[in-house]
Amino acid sequence: MTDSSHVLSHTRPHQTPEHLTRTALVLGGGGSTGNAWLLGVIAGLAESGLDVTQADRIIGTSAGATAAAQITGASPSQLLADILSAAPMHKTRPAASPDARGPSGPVTDQLDRTNRIIAAATDAADMRRRMGAAAIELGAVWDGSGSARWRAMVAARLPSALWPDTSLLITAVDALTGDPVVFDRHSGVDLADAVAASTSSASAYRIGERLFIDGGYRRNENADLAAGCQRVLVLSPFGGRTRYPLEWGTQLAAQIDGLRAGGSRVETVVPDDAAEAFFGANAMDLTLRPPAAKAGQQQGVALAERLTAFWH
């Protein structure tokens, strides 16, 4: 495939309604390597003159929540340089990072647990409630200090502890009710707590008296939160794939259909063939962060001209 084949165009042929005037950047989940790939794509676009960090609305989910908070606090080039210059790690080192989707056990164990929950659920709302209950139960087995440790790891990865002035939306799910939650600078929640909640895939994350789980249990990209924006750029490390039944309507294609129906123009960037090995079962492998970031950067550079025409 050519690089351009990994930009999935969903642009409406007619003129966009006048009331849609803003841009949105959507950063989906994808594990530790997904976070690195996202930062690489954004850095590659910036190198070529397209700064998407100035979007009017930025939506981050799970690993994308970490990336969203990072790009609003530091330059993409610096974030990329930090990944590429990081000390080499052995593959057996635990993947304890904010973009690893929570303080979970082995990836395969977590996938097996969540796959069973998905299979037993009757719909998306039921699935979220079941995921929350399982996360609360797992947290009760631990010593109760998991949230504090997780917050410290998340905060260490963020360039700034403060919410940016731009409209930054961080997704999560209420672990008790299964209801979707969207944090922003008006939520009364620290940025590090919002990101920690969005990236907590296994054990529930506590903020005050409430418990939260990963925003990816709502949707992996949550692009539907860009409704009302004229141009929407979606970066999806998982390539728009979903583990949920298609009839639930949570897949990226359904989100894009909804945006199109509202008059938005949408472009979606997914990893190219060379980057596929960095995801799936390898998504938590910290040793793959540098090559994943480099692959993203190369895609960003290759796609910059086309996306610049779309963005402006």
Side-chain angles (χ1 to χ4, degrees):
M1 291 185 175
T2 62
D3 285 317
S4 62
S5 66
H6 294 276
V7 178
L8 309 181
S9 181
H10 306 277
T11 303
R12 291 178 66 86
H14 57 74
Q15 185 176 4
T16 306
E18 293 181 0
H19 69 281
L20 301 179
T21 59
R22 298 178 294 179
T23 55
L25 175 65
V26 178
L27 305 180
S32 183
T33 56
N35 170 268
W37 178 83
L38 289 167
L39 296 177
V41 172
I42 295 168
L45 293 173
E47 289 175 25
S48 304
L50 177 57
D51 183 6
V52 294
T53 69
Q54 297 303 307
D56 296 297
R57 186 182 303 171
I58 299 177
I59 299 159
T61 297
S62 197
T66 307
Q70 288 171 321
I71 63 171
T72 57
S75 70
S77 60
Q78 183 59 57
L79 294 168
L80 175 63
D82 290 344
I83 295 173
L84 298 180
S85 64
M89 297 181 180
H90 297 295
K91 189 171 183 177
T92 55
R93 183 171 179 175
S97 76
D99 9 274
R101 293 176 62 88
S104 61
V107 175
T108 53
D109 291 347
Q110 173 68 357
L111 286 174
D112 287 343
R113 285 194 298 269
T114 55
N115 281 338
R116 289 193 295 269
I117 292 172
I118 294 168
T122 57
D123 56 26
D126 182 46
M127 180 272 295
R128 292 193 300 268
R129 288 190 293 269
R130 290 171 181 261
M131 288 290 185
I136 293 171
E137 181 179 0
L138 182 59
V141 173
W142 295 348
D143 62 8
S145 63
S147 290
R149 292 196 303 269
W150 188 237
R151 188 189 193 283
M153 286 189 284
V154 169
R157 292 295 304 277
L158 304 184
S160 172
L162 302 177
W163 284 91
D165 291 334
T166 190
S167 177
L168 172 60
L169 306 183
I170 302 295
T171 66
V173 170
D174 188 300
L176 285 172
T177 66
D179 294 334
V181 176
V182 179
F183 297 111
D184 63 15
R185 66 179 184 272
H186 304 297
S187 300
V189 170
D190 287 348
L191 179 60
D193 281 319
V195 175
S198 187
T199 55
S200 190
S201 180
S203 176
Y205 181 79
R206 180 177 294 278
I207 303 178
E209 298 301 315
R210 298 180 67 184
L211 295 168
F212 300 92
I213 56 173
D214 198 300
Y217 292 131
R218 179 183 185 270
R219 292 176 174 85
N220 197 56
E221 298 84 11
N222 290 296
D224 56 301
L225 297 178
C229 293
Q230 182 185 40
R231 296 178 301 283
V232 182
L233 176 61
V234 182
L235 305 188
S236 177
F238 284 155
R241 295 186 293 271
T242 181
R243 292 190 291 153
Y244 308 145
L246 296 184
E247 57 266 28
W248 290 0
T250 60
Q251 66 271 26
L252 180 58
Q255 298 170 51
I256 290 172
D257 285 345
L259 290 171
R260 293 179 63 194
S264 298
R265 301 173 59 217
V266 185
E267 293 277 5
T268 303
V269 179
V270 303
D272 60 19
D273 293 344
E276 280 296 314
F278 304 136
F279 302 100
N282 293 324
M284 309 308 183
D285 187 349
L286 299 186
T287 67
L288 295 179
R289 280 178 59 80
K294 192 65 179 176
Q297 177 195 27
Q298 292 170 349
Q299 274 193 268
V301 170
L303 299 171
E305 182 176 356
R306 176 176 175 177
L307 291 179
T308 297
F310 160 75
W311 196 248
H312 295 299

